[in-house]
Amino acid sequence: MATATVSDTIAVEALSGGFDLYLTLESGQSYLWTRSDGEMYTDRRAPETWYRTVVDDVPIRVRQPDGPGGDLEWHSTVDADPLVRELLRLEDDLEAIAADAPDDPLIRAAYAAHDGMRLVDDPPFGTLISFICSAQMRVGRIHGMVSTLAREYGDAYALAGQTVYAFPTPDQLARATEADLRDLRLGYRAPYVQRTAEMVADGEARPEDACDLEYEAAREYLTRFVGVGDKVADCVLLFSLGFDEAVPLDTWIRSAIAEYYPDCDQGSYAETSRAIRERLGGRYAGYAQTYLFHHLRTGAVDA
């Protein structure tokens, strides 16, 4: 039996700071959405194309057919307006967040160049596995790995004549062997993914439990998962657990520190993290980091 499709639109002009769907979902923060044209992370906008995901057994697809500033359309099997707003953080006061950023030329240029980009609020387990897969990988390859895991081990849902795959649950992914995951080209990440899925499935630890801790303690808690260091932990905190002060020290941000903020290099991850968080504005430093990451990765800084 076909499932009825519920649809609606969200008026972007009513959102503080506007919204750019493409920038939000293809800026290196999320690997849990796919594009119906298969062209995710190819640096090509396609406003008419749907982005799709599944959260808590609810398949969703969204698009912004008139481009940045245009209304956001969504389809689902339920009234998904609250869920879409949560996943894409549409209630964030983006104008206030941008205004709160330091009066720094590079940060201001990044906010101006990528207007309407918001942080995502992805499910914690999928985010954890995504960023375990991210080590030494380009964004397109990370997305390919995560999409493959969904197709191989996740449940399939029908929505508006399309099939949408959910990222596997901890139980589903824990059934995969290291050899299975290596066959899917996860390489040395395979045992990390397998053991972390097993830890969550067995109740040994859950990424969402970090929410009950102060920021640095939360980062330390996440490093108990196999294959998770400080940088991956910061990504999980920022993109799925609401720690807007988290600043993942990836290659791009370390390059920015070396070139623009050398005094923030304090040697250790912990001390450098504290210094760059303060330089990027404290409570919304993770927002500034995300803008800087995308600005540097796309070469817009040289424009």
Side-chain angles (χ1 to χ4, degrees), residues 149-232:
L149 291 175
R151 287 194 304 272
E152 291 293 323
Y153 298 107
D155 292 327
Y157 294 80
L159 177 63
Q162 298 179 341
T163 299
V164 188
Y165 292 93
F167 191 79
T169 66
D171 286 339
Q172 288 172 325
L173 192 53
R175 296 186 196 116
T177 66
E178 178 182 336
D180 293 334
L181 297 175
R182 286 188 182 275
D183 286 345
L184 297 180
R185 299 180 63 191
L186 265 67
Y188 70 85
R189 304 158 196 82
Y192 303 159
V193 169
Q194 195 282 327
R195 177 61 185 128
T196 290
E198 189 176 63
M199 290 174 69
V200 180
D202 290 347
E204 185 176 340
R206 302 186 314 154
E208 51 266 43
D209 288 345
C211 290
D212 297 329
L213 304 172
E214 296 295 325
Y215 164 62
E216 292 194 5
R219 185 175 65 200
E220 178 65 24
Y221 173 86
L222 291 177
T223 62
R224 69 183 56 197
F225 294 104
V226 181
V228 176
D230 289 328
K231 190 268 286 187
V232 168

Side-chain angles (χ1 to χ4, degrees), residues 20 23 44 52 117 122 140 180 185 242 268 270 272 294 301:
D20 188 319
L23 288 181
R44 185 178 69 84
R52 308 168 302 184
M117 183 170 71
D122 276 342
D180 293 334
R185 299 180 63 191
S268 71
T272 300
H294 190 64
V301 70

Side-chain angles (χ1 to χ4, degrees), residues 121-163:
D121 186 10
D122 276 342
F125 178 68
T127 304
L128 176 64
I129 298 298
S130 296
F131 282 96
I132 289 175
C133 290
S134 72
Q136 308 297 318
M137 279 291 168
R138 297 186 303 273
V139 291
R141 182 74 182 93
I142 301 164
H143 185 264
M145 285 183 177
V146 175
S147 297
T148 298
L149 291 175
R151 287 194 304 272
E152 291 293 323
Y153 298 107
D155 292 327
Y157 294 80
L159 177 63
Q162 298 179 341
T163 299

Side-chain angles (χ1 to χ4, degrees), residues 7 9 26 41 59 95 133 138 147 206 213 219 232-233 237 244 249 255 273 280 299:
S7 63
T9 61
E26 299 200 43
Y41 281 116
E95 288 183 4
C133 290
R138 297 186 303 273
S147 297
R206 302 186 314 154
L213 304 172
R219 185 175 65 200
V232 168
L237 293 174
D244 290 352
L249 299 184
S255 295
S273 173
L280 297 183

Side-chain angles (χ1 to χ4, degrees), residues 25 32-38 50-54 59-62 159 162-165:
L25 293 183
L32 299 176
W33 294 77
T34 60
R35 257 171 53 167
S36 57
D37 64 357
W50 294 96
Y51 289 90
R52 308 168 302 184
T53 196
V54 179
I60 300 167
R61 67 177 191 171
V62 296
L159 177 63
Q162 298 179 341
T163 299
V164 188
Y165 292 93

